[in-house]
Amino acid sequence: MARIVQPDAAGIAEAVDALRRGEVIGLPTETVYGLAADATNDTAVRRIFSVKGRPETHPLIVHVAEAIELANLTTEVTPLTRALTQTFWPGPLTVIVRANQKVSRAVTGGRDTVAVRCPAHPVAHAVIHALGCPVAAPSANRFGAVSPTTATHVVVDLGNDIDIVLDGGECEIGLESTIIDCTSDSLEVLRPGAVTVEQLHTLTATLSDSSEQRVSDGTASESRAPGMMQSHYAPRARLVLHEPGDHFDTDGAPVLDFSGDLSTAAHTLYARLRALDASHIALAHVIVPPPGGLGQAIRDRLTKAAAGG
Ligand code: AMP
Ligand code: MG
């Protein structure tokens, strides 16, 4: 059974040693907990897929300690990509760029593009910095299930398959990163997150020769973003979604209201979905937030969670 390890100097050293040996570990970030392995070790990367039960064609996000390391992974850092990373890194933004030859195709699912993020969590930073190379990490849960936002969530899901989970407390944001395809002149949001479409519009509007037309948040297709499935983040409980202000009959089922403060809604979302299953609830009503800002990402996750169950 996995141990929860405190992230003091000894704990960080133990985690780094495990990664050097090719093991996978539970790693806290500000978005959700990751299932991390040395991104340059193909055997270790393959172990991520087998522990999660994730198809090997669903690419992983490569996490770097410093923004400057993006240049080691891609053929070219475009001005638009540089503006994005300068503005939002370290933080909850993943950029998809053209991969250079050094990037393992085990990480990219065989593609010539790679997803890269520089996390803002001090424990993630300390581990990746001490390891001295990037870390590949999807969320530390079984494929298709609810993401973990505490070390205990990781142990509950994957405790039999990994040895250690570094304890970084509750993830501050609680939702996976915003993913942006940066491989063309316009930015396409493949997954909404805490870096919002509004923030992206504001940034592109400040760049020369640009217009708001440069950001699109089209629904990502399976070919563009493999693994963006219709059902994802799903608890066993069936979720019935409602807009704020809708009238509905609860029939005695619990009501989860995410239409209040958006940061709190995101921060508590996955713990509340997990709590439904822990108390063997079969059906719950969910009030979704309005679509603006962080509300878009929360609605995206709840829609996918409701498509499972
Ligand atoms: P997760 O690891 O669960 O946070 O999911 C990462 C997601 O990022 C994948 O499921 C893909 O949808 C997306 N992704 C990662 N790398 C790429 C890439 N090279 N091209 C397109 N999408 C990617
Ligand atoms: Mg995930």
Side-chain angles (χ1 to χ4, degrees):
M1 186 49 79
R3 268 179 311 122
I4 294 180
V5 173
Q6 289 314 303
D8 51 19
I12 300 284
E14 187 183 350
V16 171
D17 282 346
L19 291 170
R20 288 217 173 99
R21 284 195 302 270
E23 291 175 21
V24 295
I25 65 163
L27 182 71
T29 82
E30 76 278 28
T31 59
V32 299
Y33 273 72
L35 183 63
D38 177 345
T40 65
N41 177 337
D42 279 5
T43 311
V45 168
R46 271 199 260 335
R47 181 143 174 75
I48 293 178
F49 290 100
S50 69
V51 168
K52 263 198 80 115
R54 169 159 160 154
E56 296 203 351
T57 50
H58 290 186
L60 304 176
I61 297 172
V62 174
H63 295 73
V64 294
E66 314 295 338
I68 186 98
E69 294 168 50
L70 175 63
N72 301 331
L73 300 167
T74 183
T75 51
E76 181 203 9
V77 181
T78 66
L80 197 50
T81 308
R82 188 177 309 282
L84 279 172
T85 59
Q86 278 176 348
T87 308
F88 298 111
W89 279 6
L93 176 82
T94 296
V95 294
I96 295 186
V97 295
R98 292 189 196 291
N100 66 22
Q101 286 311 311
K102 281 189 273 182
V103 177
S104 158
R105 276 11 185 203
V107 169
T108 69
R111 298 182 161 233
D112 290 333
T113 54
V114 61
V116 186
R117 182 167 99 83
C118 179
H121 198 291
V123 175
H125 180 269
V127 168
I128 303 165
H129 179 76
L131 181 65
C133 67
V135 149
S139 53
N141 54 275
R142 300 258 179 237
F143 182 58
V146 182
S147 301
T149 54
T150 67
T152 304
H153 292 165
V154 180
V155 174
V156 168
D157 287 1
L158 305 177
N160 290 330
D161 297 304
I162 61 178
D163 289 334
I164 57 177
V165 182
L166 277 174
D167 191 357
E170 290 178 12
C171 299
E172 194 177 326
I173 294 171
L175 292 183
E176 300 77 5
S177 59
T178 305
I179 302 181
I180 302 185
D181 186 342
C182 297
T183 58
S184 74
D185 290 344
S186 62
L187 300 179
E188 188 179 357
V189 179
L190 300 182
R191 176 172 74 188
V195 169
T196 65
V197 172
E198 290 86 346
Q199 285 176 291
L200 295 168
H201 281 305
T202 304
L203 175 69
T204 56
T206 65
L207 302 173
S208 60
D209 82 321
S210 67
S211 76
E212 300 212 348
Q213 261 56 49
R214 287 177 72 163
V215 184
S216 77
D217 56 344
T219 320
S221 66
E222 178 67 25
S223 62
R224 300 295 309 280
M228 292 298 163
M229 306 160 298
Q230 238 167 25
S231 164
H232 204 158
Y233 322 109
R236 283 191 303 279
R238 189 162 89 78
L239 305 180
V240 184
L241 305 189
H242 306 277
E243 295 293 333
D246 277 1
H247 289 281
F248 57 91
D249 190 353
T250 66
D251 238 345
V255 179
L256 274 56
D257 186 354
F258 294 106
S259 67
D261 177 69
L262 292 177
S263 299
T264 307
H267 177 75
T268 57
L269 176 75
Y270 291 136
R272 293 176 77 187
L273 296 186
R274 283 168 175 268
L276 292 175
D277 287 344
S279 29
H280 305 287
I281 285 167
L283 184 147
H285 295 277
V286 173
I287 304 174
V288 302
L294 186 56
Q296 191 194 355
I298 298 169
R299 290 171 71 100
D300 169 74
R301 303 311 190 276
L302 285 171
T303 304
K304 288 173 176 163

